[in-house]
Coordinates of all heavy atoms in Angstrom, one line a residue:
M1227 N 43.8 86.8 21.1 CA 43.7 87.5 19.8 C 44.0 88.9 20.0 O 43.7 89.5 21.0 CB 42.3 87.3 19.3 CG 42.0 88.1 18.0 SD 40.3 88.1 17.5 CE 40.1 86.4 17.0
Q1228 N 44.6 89.5 19.1 CA 44.9 91.0 19.1 C 44.2 91.7 18.0 O 43.9 91.1 16.9 CB 46.4 91.2 18.8 CG 47.3 91.1 20.0 CD 48.7 91.6 19.7 OE1 49.1 91.6 18.5 NE2 49.4 92.1 20.7
L1229 N 43.8 92.9 18.3 CA 43.2 93.7 17.3 C 44.1 95.0 17.1 O 44.5 95.5 18.1 CB 41.8 94.2 17.8 CG 40.8 93.1 18.2 CD1 39.5 93.8 18.8 CD2 40.4 92.3 17.0
R1230 N 44.2 95.3 15.9 CA 45.0 96.5 15.5 C 44.1 97.5 14.9 O 43.3 97.2 14.0 CB 46.2 96.2 14.6 CG 47.2 95.4 15.3 CD 48.5 95.3 14.5 NE 49.4 94.4 15.2 CZ 50.2 93.6 14.6 NH1 50.3 93.6 13.3 NH2 51.0 92.8 15.3
L1231 N 44.1 98.7 15.4 CA 43.3 99.8 14.8 C 44.1 100.7 13.9 O 45.2 101.0 14.2 CB 42.7 100.5 16.0 CG 41.7 99.8 16.8 CD1 42.3 99.0 17.9 CD2 40.5 100.7 17.3
G1232 N 43.4 101.2 12.9 CA 44.1 102.1 12.0 C 44.3 103.5 12.6 O 45.2 104.2 12.2
D1233 N 43.4 103.9 13.5 CA 43.5 105.2 14.2 C 43.5 105.1 15.7 O 42.5 104.4 16.2 CB 42.4 106.0 13.7 CG 42.5 107.5 14.0 OD1 43.2 107.9 15.0 OD2 41.9 108.3 13.3
T1234 N 44.5 105.7 16.4 CA 44.6 105.5 17.8 C 43.4 106.1 18.6 O 43.2 105.7 19.8 CB 45.9 106.1 18.3 OG1 45.9 107.5 18.0 CG2 47.1 105.4 17.7
I1235 N 42.6 107.0 18.0 CA 41.5 107.6 18.7 C 40.4 106.7 19.1 O 39.6 106.9 20.0 CB 40.9 108.9 18.0 CG1 40.3 108.5 16.7 CG2 42.0 109.9 17.8 CD1 39.4 109.6 16.1
Y1236 N 40.4 105.5 18.4 CA 39.4 104.5 18.6 C 39.7 103.4 19.6 O 38.9 102.6 20.0 CB 38.9 103.9 17.3 CG 38.3 104.8 16.4 CD1 38.9 105.3 15.2 CD2 37.0 105.3 16.6 CE1 38.3 106.1 14.3 CE2 36.3 106.2 15.8 CZ 37.0 106.6 14.6 OH 36.4 107.4 13.7
T1237 N 41.0 103.4 20.0 CA 41.4 102.2 20.8 C 40.6 102.1 22.1 O 40.1 101.0 22.5 CB 42.9 102.4 21.2 OG1 43.7 102.5 19.9 CG2 43.5 101.2 21.9
E1238 N 40.6 103.1 22.9 CA 39.9 103.1 24.2 C 38.4 102.8 24.0 O 37.8 102.1 24.7 CB 40.1 104.3 25.0 CG 41.5 104.5 25.6 CD 41.8 103.4 26.6 OE1 41.0 102.9 27.3 OE2 43.0 103.1 26.7
R1239 N 37.8 103.4 22.9 CA 36.4 103.3 22.6 C 36.1 101.8 22.3 O 35.2 101.2 22.8 CB 35.9 104.1 21.4 CG 35.9 105.6 21.7 CD 35.4 106.3 20.6 NE 35.9 107.6 20.5 CZ 35.6 108.5 19.6 NH1 34.9 108.1 18.6 NH2 36.1 109.7 19.7
L1240 N 36.9 101.2 21.5 CA 36.7 99.8 21.2 C 36.9 98.9 22.4 O 36.1 98.0 22.6 CB 37.6 99.3 20.0 CG 37.5 97.9 19.6 CD1 36.0 97.6 19.2 CD2 38.4 97.6 18.4
A1241 N 37.9 99.1 23.2 CA 38.1 98.3 24.4 C 36.9 98.4 25.3 O 36.4 97.5 25.9 CB 39.4 98.8 25.1
S1242 N 36.4 99.6 25.4 CA 35.2 99.9 26.3 C 34.0 99.2 25.7 O 33.2 98.5 26.4 CB 35.0 101.4 26.5 OG 33.8 101.6 27.2
F1243 N 33.8 99.3 24.4 CA 32.7 98.6 23.7 C 32.8 97.1 24.0 O 31.8 96.4 24.4 CB 32.8 98.9 22.2 CG 31.8 98.1 21.4 CD1 30.4 98.5 21.4 CD2 32.2 97.2 20.6 CE1 29.5 97.8 20.6 CE2 31.3 96.4 19.7 CZ 30.0 96.7 19.8
L1244 N 33.9 96.5 23.7 CA 34.1 95.0 23.9 C 33.9 94.7 25.4 O 33.2 93.7 25.7 CB 35.4 94.6 23.4 CG 35.6 94.6 21.9 CD1 37.0 94.3 21.5 CD2 34.7 93.7 21.2
G1245 N 34.4 95.5 26.3 CA 34.2 95.3 27.8 C 32.7 95.3 28.2 O 32.2 94.5 29.0
S1246 N 31.9 96.2 27.5 CA 30.5 96.3 27.8 C 29.7 95.0 27.3 O 28.6 94.7 27.8 CB 29.9 97.5 27.2 OG 29.8 97.3 25.7
L1247 N 30.4 94.2 26.4 CA 29.8 93.0 25.9 C 30.3 91.8 26.6 O 30.1 90.7 26.2 CB 30.1 92.9 24.4 CG 29.4 94.0 23.6 CD1 30.0 94.0 22.2 CD2 27.9 93.8 23.5
G1248 N 31.1 92.0 27.7 CA 31.6 90.9 28.5 C 32.9 90.4 28.1 O 33.4 89.3 28.6
Q1249 N 33.6 91.1 27.2 CA 34.9 90.6 26.8 C 36.0 91.2 27.6 O 36.0 92.4 27.9 CB 35.2 91.0 25.3 CG 34.2 90.5 24.3 CD 34.2 88.9 24.3 OE1 35.3 88.3 24.2 NE2 33.0 88.3 24.5
A1250 N 37.0 90.4 28.0 CA 38.1 90.9 28.8 C 39.2 91.3 27.8 O 39.6 90.6 27.0 CB 38.7 89.8 29.7
T1251 N 39.6 92.7 27.9 CA 40.5 93.2 27.0 C 41.6 93.9 27.8 O 41.5 94.4 28.9 CB 39.8 94.3 26.1 OG1 39.3 95.4 26.9 CG2 38.7 93.7 25.3
I1252 N 42.7 94.1 27.1 CA 43.8 94.8 27.6 C 44.4 95.7 26.4 O 44.5 95.2 25.3 CB 45.1 93.9 28.0 CG1 44.6 92.9 29.1 CG2 46.3 94.7 28.3 CD1 45.7 91.9 29.5
V1253 N 44.5 97.0 26.7 CA 45.0 97.9 25.7 C 46.5 97.7 25.8 O 47.2 98.1 26.8 CB 44.6 99.4 26.0 CG1 45.3 100.3 25.0 CG2 43.1 99.5 25.9
S1254 N 47.1 97.1 24.8 CA 48.5 96.7 24.8 C 49.4 97.7 24.0 O 50.6 97.5 23.9 CB 48.7 95.3 24.3 OG 48.1 95.2 23.0
G1255 N 48.8 98.7 23.5 CA 49.6 99.7 22.6 C 48.6 100.8 22.3 O 47.4 100.7 22.4
P1256 N 49.1 101.9 21.7 CA 48.3 103.0 21.2 C 47.2 102.6 20.3 O 46.1 103.2 20.2 CB 49.3 104.0 20.6 CG 50.6 103.3 20.5 CD 50.5 102.1 21.3
N1257 N 47.5 101.6 19.5 CA 46.4 101.2 18.5 C 46.3 99.6 18.5 O 45.9 99.0 17.5 CB 46.8 101.6 17.1 CG 48.1 100.9 16.6 OD1 48.9 100.5 17.3 ND2 48.2 100.9 15.3
E1258 N 46.5 99.0 19.7 CA 46.4 97.6 19.8 C 45.6 97.2 21.1 O 45.7 97.7 22.1 CB 47.8 96.9 19.9 CG 48.5 97.0 18.7 CD 49.9 96.2 18.8 OE1 50.2 95.6 19.9 OE2 50.6 96.3 17.8
I1259 N 44.7 96.2 20.9 CA 43.9 95.7 22.0 C 44.1 94.2 22.0 O 44.0 93.5 20.9 CB 42.4 96.0 21.8 CG1 42.2 97.5 21.9 CG2 41.6 95.3 22.9 CD1 40.8 97.9 21.5
E1260 N 44.3 93.6 23.2 CA 44.4 92.2 23.3 C 43.1 91.7 23.9 O 42.7 92.2 25.0 CB 45.6 91.8 24.1 CG 45.9 90.3 24.1 CD 47.2 90.0 24.8 OE1 48.1 90.8 24.9 OE2 47.3 88.8 25.4
I1261 N 42.5 90.6 23.3 CA 41.3 90.1 23.8 C 41.7 88.8 24.6 O 42.3 87.9 24.0 CB 40.3 89.8 22.8 CG1 39.9 91.1 22.1 CG2 39.1 89.1 23.3 CD1 39.0 90.9 20.9
L1262 N 41.3 88.6 25.8 CA 41.6 87.5 26.6 C 40.5 86.4 26.4 O 39.4 86.6 27.0 CB 41.8 87.8 28.1 CG 42.8 88.9 28.4 CD1 42.7 89.3 29.9 CD2 44.2 88.6 27.9
A1263 N 40.8 85.5 25.5 CA 39.8 84.5 25.1 C 40.5 83.3 24.7 O 41.7 83.3 24.3 CB 38.9 85.0 23.9
P1264 N 39.9 82.1 24.7 CA 40.5 80.9 24.3 C 41.0 81.1 22.8 O 40.3 81.7 22.0 CB 39.3 79.8 24.3 CG 38.3 80.4 25.2 CD 38.5 81.9 25.1
D1265 N 42.1 80.4 22.5 CA 42.7 80.6 21.2 C 42.8 79.3 20.4 O 43.3 79.3 19.3 CB 44.0 81.3 21.2 CG 45.0 80.6 22.0 OD1 44.7 79.5 22.7 OD2 46.1 81.0 22.2
S1266 N 42.3 78.2 21.0 CA 42.3 77.0 20.2 C 41.1 76.1 20.5 O 40.4 76.4 21.4 CB 43.6 76.2 20.6 OG 43.6 75.8 22.0
G1267 N 40.9 75.1 19.6 CA 39.8 74.2 19.8 C 38.5 74.9 19.5 O 38.4 75.9 19.0
K1268 N 37.4 74.2 19.9 CA 36.1 74.7 19.7 C 35.8 76.0 20.4 O 35.2 76.9 19.9 CB 35.0 73.7 20.2 CG 34.9 72.5 19.3 CD 33.7 71.6 19.8 CE 33.7 70.3 18.8 NZ 32.5 69.5 19.2
A1269 N 36.3 76.2 21.6 CA 36.1 77.4 22.4 C 36.8 78.6 21.7 O 36.3 79.7 21.6 CB 36.7 77.3 23.8
G1270 N 38.0 78.3 21.0 CA 38.7 79.3 20.3 C 37.9 79.7 19.0 O 37.8 80.9 18.7
D1271 N 37.4 78.7 18.3 CA 36.6 79.0 17.2 C 35.4 79.8 17.5 O 35.0 80.8 16.8 CB 36.2 77.8 16.4 CG 37.3 77.0 15.8 OD1 38.4 77.6 15.5 OD2 37.1 75.8 15.5
M1272 N 34.7 79.5 18.6 CA 33.5 80.1 19.0 C 33.9 81.6 19.4 O 33.2 82.6 19.1 CB 32.9 79.4 20.2 CG 31.5 79.8 20.5 SD 30.9 78.7 21.8 CE 29.3 78.5 21.3
A1273 N 35.0 81.8 20.1 CA 35.4 83.1 20.6 C 35.7 84.0 19.3 O 35.3 85.2 19.3 CB 36.6 83.0 21.4
R1274 N 36.4 83.5 18.3 CA 36.7 84.2 17.1 C 35.5 84.6 16.4 O 35.3 85.8 15.9 CB 37.6 83.4 16.2 CG 39.1 83.4 16.7 CD 40.0 82.9 15.6 NE 39.8 81.4 15.5 CZ 40.4 80.5 16.4 NH1 41.1 80.9 17.4 NH2 40.2 79.3 16.2
R1275 N 34.5 83.7 16.3 CA 33.2 84.1 15.7 C 32.4 85.1 16.4 O 31.9 86.1 15.8 CB 32.3 82.8 15.5 CG 32.8 81.9 14.3 CD 31.7 80.8 14.0 NE 32.5 79.6 14.1 CZ 32.2 78.6 14.9 NH1 31.0 78.6 15.6 NH2 32.9 77.5 15.0
E1276 N 32.4 85.0 17.7 CA 31.8 86.0 18.5 C 32.4 87.4 18.3 O 31.7 88.4 18.2 CB 31.8 85.6 20.0 CG 31.1 86.5 20.9 CD 31.1 85.9 22.4 OE1 31.5 84.8 22.6 OE2 30.6 86.6 23.2
I1277 N 33.7 87.5 18.4 CA 34.5 88.7 18.2 C 34.2 89.3 16.8 O 34.0 90.5 16.6 CB 36.0 88.5 18.4 CG1 36.2 88.2 19.8 CG2 36.7 89.8 18.1 CD1 35.8 89.1 20.9
A1278 N 34.1 88.4 15.8 CA 33.8 88.8 14.4 C 32.5 89.5 14.4 O 32.3 90.6 13.7 CB 33.9 87.7 13.5
I1279 N 31.5 89.0 15.1 CA 30.1 89.6 15.1 C 30.2 91.0 15.8 O 29.6 92.0 15.3 CB 29.1 88.7 15.9 CG1 28.9 87.4 15.0 CG2 27.8 89.4 16.2 CD1 28.2 86.3 15.8
Y1280 N 30.9 91.1 16.9 CA 31.0 92.3 17.6 C 31.7 93.3 16.8 O 31.3 94.6 16.8 CB 31.8 92.2 18.9 CG 31.1 91.3 19.9 CD1 31.9 90.6 20.9 CD2 29.7 91.2 20.0 CE1 31.2 89.8 21.8 CE2 29.1 90.4 20.9 CZ 29.9 89.7 21.9 OH 29.3 88.9 22.8
L1281 N 32.8 92.9 16.0 CA 33.4 93.9 15.1 C 32.6 94.4 13.9 O 32.7 95.5 13.4 CB 34.7 93.3 14.6 CG 35.8 93.1 15.7 CD1 37.0 92.4 15.1 CD2 36.2 94.4 16.4
R1282 N 31.6 93.5 13.5 CA 30.6 93.9 12.4 C 29.8 95.0 13.0 O 29.5 96.0 12.3 CB 29.9 92.8 11.9 CG 30.6 91.9 11.0 CD 29.8 90.9 10.2 NE 30.6 89.7 10.0 CZ 30.4 88.6 10.5 NH1 29.4 88.4 11.3 NH2 31.2 87.6 10.3
V1283 N 29.3 94.9 14.2 CA 28.5 95.9 14.9 C 29.3 97.2 15.0 O 28.9 98.2 14.7 CB 27.9 95.4 16.2 CG1 27.3 96.6 17.0 CG2 27.0 94.2 16.0
W1284 N 30.5 97.0 15.5 CA 31.4 98.1 15.6 C 31.6 99.0 14.3 O 31.6 100.2 14.3 CB 32.8 97.7 16.2 CG 33.8 98.8 16.3 CD1 34.9 98.9 15.3 CD2 34.0 99.7 17.2 NE1 35.7 100.0 15.7 CE2 35.1 100.5 16.9 CE3 33.3 100.1 18.4 CZ2 35.6 101.6 17.6 CZ3 33.8 101.1 19.1 CH2 34.9 101.9 18.8
S1285 N 31.8 98.2 13.2 CA 31.9 98.8 12.0 C 30.7 99.6 11.5 O 30.8 100.6 10.7 CB 32.4 97.8 10.9 OG 31.3 97.0 10.5
V1286 N 29.5 99.3 12.0 CA 28.4 100.0 11.7 C 28.3 101.3 12.5 O 28.0 102.4 12.1 CB 27.1 99.2 11.9 CG1 25.9 100.1 11.8 CG2 27.0 98.1 10.9
L1287 N 28.7 101.2 13.8 CA 28.8 102.3 14.7 C 29.9 103.3 14.3 O 29.7 104.5 14.5 CB 29.0 101.8 16.1 CG 27.9 100.9 16.7 CD1 28.3 100.4 18.1 CD2 26.6 101.8 16.9
Y1288 N 31.0 102.8 13.9 CA 32.2 103.6 13.5 C 32.7 103.2 12.2 O 33.8 102.5 12.2 CB 33.3 103.5 14.6 CG 32.8 104.0 16.0 CD1 32.3 103.1 17.0 CD2 32.9 105.3 16.3 CE1 31.9 103.5 18.2 CE2 32.5 105.7 17.6 CZ 32.0 104.8 18.5 OH 31.5 105.2 19.7
P1289 N 32.1 103.6 11.1 CA 32.5 103.1 9.8 C 33.9 103.5 9.4 O 34.5 102.9 8.6 CB 31.4 103.7 8.9 CG 30.8 104.8 9.6 CD 30.9 104.5 11.1
D1290 N 34.5 104.6 10.0 CA 35.8 105.1 9.6 C 36.8 104.4 10.5 O 38.1 104.6 10.2 CB 35.9 106.6 9.8 CG 35.0 107.3 8.8 OD1 34.7 106.7 7.7 OD2 34.6 108.5 9.1
A1291 N 36.5 103.6 11.4 CA 37.5 102.9 12.4 C 37.9 101.6 11.7 O 37.1 100.6 11.8 CB 36.9 102.7 13.7
E1292 N 39.1 101.5 11.2 CA 39.6 100.2 10.7 C 40.2 99.4 11.7 O 41.0 99.9 12.5 CB 40.7 100.5 9.6 CG 40.1 101.2 8.4 CD 41.1 101.4 7.3 OE1 42.1 100.8 7.3 OE2 40.8 102.2 6.4
V1293 N 39.8 98.1 11.7 CA 40.3 97.1 12.8 C 40.6 95.9 12.0 O 39.9 95.4 11.2 CB 39.1 96.8 13.8 CG1 39.7 95.8 14.9 CG2 38.7 98.1 14.4
S1294 N 41.8 95.3 12.4 CA 42.3 94.0 11.9 C 42.5 93.1 13.0 O 43.1 93.5 14.0 CB 43.6 94.2 11.1 OG 43.5 95.1 10.0
A1295 N 42.0 91.9 12.9 CA 42.2 90.9 13.9 C 43.5 90.2 13.6 O 43.8 89.8 12.5 CB 41.0 89.9 13.9
V1296 N 44.4 89.9 14.6 CA 45.7 89.3 14.4 C 45.8 88.2 15.4 O 45.4 88.2 16.5 CB 46.8 90.3 14.7 CG1 48.2 89.7 14.6 CG2 46.7 91.5 13.8
E1297 N 46.2 87.0 14.9 CA 46.4 85.8 15.7 C 47.5 86.1 16.6 O 48.6 86.5 16.2 CB 46.6 84.6 14.8 CG 46.5 83.3 15.5 CD 45.1 83.0 16.0 OE1 44.2 83.1 15.2 OE2 45.0 82.6 17.1
A1298 N 47.4 85.7 17.9 CA 48.5 85.9 18.8 C 49.7 85.2 18.4 O 49.7 84.0 18.1 CB 48.0 85.4 20.2
G1299 N 50.8 85.9 18.5 CA 52.1 85.3 18.1 C 52.5 85.2 16.7 O 53.7 85.1 16.3
L1300 N 51.5 85.4 15.8 CA 51.8 85.4 14.3 C 52.1 86.7 13.7 O 52.8 86.9 12.8 CB 50.7 84.6 13.6 CG 50.4 83.2 14.0 CD1 49.2 82.7 13.2 CD2 51.6 82.3 13.8
G1301 N 51.4 87.8 14.2 CA 51.6 89.1 13.7 C 50.9 89.3 12.3 O 51.3 90.3 11.7
E1302 N 50.1 88.4 11.9 CA 49.5 88.5 10.6 C 48.0 88.4 10.8 O 47.5 87.8 11.7 CB 49.9 87.3 9.7 CG 51.4 87.3 9.4 CD 51.8 86.1 8.5 OE1 50.9 85.5 8.0 OE2 52.9 85.9 8.3
P1303 N 47.2 89.1 9.9 CA 45.7 89.1 10.1 C 45.2 87.6 10.1 O 45.7 86.8 9.4 CB 45.2 89.8 8.8 CG 46.4 90.7 8.4 CD 47.6 89.9 8.8
V1304 N 44.2 87.4 10.9 CA 43.6 86.1 11.0 C 42.9 85.7 9.7 O 43.0 84.6 9.2 CB 42.6 86.0 12.1 CG1 41.7 84.8 12.2 CG2 43.2 86.3 13.5
E1305 N 42.2 86.7 9.1 CA 41.6 86.5 7.8 C 42.1 87.7 7.0 O 42.6 88.7 7.5 CB 40.1 86.5 7.9 CG 39.6 85.3 8.7 CD 38.1 85.4 9.0 OE1 37.5 86.5 8.6 OE2 37.6 84.5 9.5
A1306 N 41.9 87.6 5.7 CA 42.3 88.7 4.8 C 41.2 89.8 4.8 O 40.9 90.4 3.8 CB 42.5 88.2 3.4
Q1307 N 40.6 90.0 5.9 CA 39.4 90.9 6.1 C 39.7 91.9 7.1 O 40.1 91.6 8.2 CB 38.2 90.1 6.5 CG 37.0 91.1 6.7 CD 35.8 90.2 7.1 OE1 35.8 89.0 7.2 NE2 34.7 90.8 7.3
T1308 N 39.6 93.2 6.7 CA 39.7 94.3 7.6 C 38.3 94.8 7.8 O 37.6 95.1 6.9 CB 40.7 95.4 7.1 OG1 42.0 94.9 6.9 CG2 40.8 96.6 8.0
V1309 N 38.0 95.0 9.1 CA 36.7 95.6 9.4 C 36.7 97.1 9.3 O 37.7 97.7 9.9 CB 36.3 95.2 10.8 CG1 34.9 95.7 11.1 CG2 36.2 93.6 10.8
G1310 N 35.8 97.7 8.6 CA 35.8 99.2 8.6 C 35.8 99.7 7.1 O 35.7 98.9 6.2
A1311 N 35.8 101.0 7.0 CA 35.7 101.6 5.6 C 36.9 101.3 4.9 O 38.0 101.2 5.3 CB 35.5 103.0 5.8
S1312 N 36.7 101.1 3.5 CA 37.9 100.8 2.7 C 38.4 102.1 2.0 O 37.7 102.9 1.6 CB 37.5 99.8 1.5 OG 37.1 98.7 2.2

């Protein structure tokens, strides 16, 4: 799963935050983070739910940091939901 951030100043912070929660991440661009997690089956569903919870916490900590989850290979948001201030 990839995460795209609206502002590049939050990229390293979010990667560090997710890493502190045990998530393996790769900063793949100035405003992109790739999460190394299962992407299919029950494990994939569980990983997506877990990441969604972490992103909700992130949005409370950094309300101005917009983050969109993108399905690997599709380039489109997983859900029509962007985490962060509107």
Side-chain angles (χ1 to χ4, degrees):
M1227 174 188 291
Q1228 278 190 331
L1229 301 176
R1230 290 195 184 141
L1231 291 89
D1233 192 338
T1234 59
I1235 65 168
Y1236 294 108
T1237 306
E1238 290 294 333
R1239 287 185 208 176
L1240 180 55
S1242 178
F1243 172 74
L1244 292 171
S1246 73
L1247 297 168
Q1249 300 299 309
T1251 62
I1252 297 173
V1253 175
S1254 55
N1257 67 336
E1258 293 184 2
I1259 297 171
E1260 187 172 334
I1261 299 174
L1262 305 176
D1265 57 358
S1266 62
K1268 286 185 181 182
D1271 291 340
M1272 192 174 222
R1274 281 188 289 280
R1275 280 189 239 128
E1276 187 175 351
I1277 296 301
I1279 291 167
Y1280 295 152
L1281 292 178
R1282 281 188 214 118
V1283 172
W1284 173 260
S1285 71
V1286 171
L1287 296 172
Y1288 298 95
D1290 294 335
E1292 293 183 15
V1293 180
S1294 298
V1296 177
E1297 192 68 45
L1300 297 179
E1302 297 179 9
V1304 174
E1305 298 175 354
Q1307 178 181 1
T1308 299
V1309 178
S1312 299

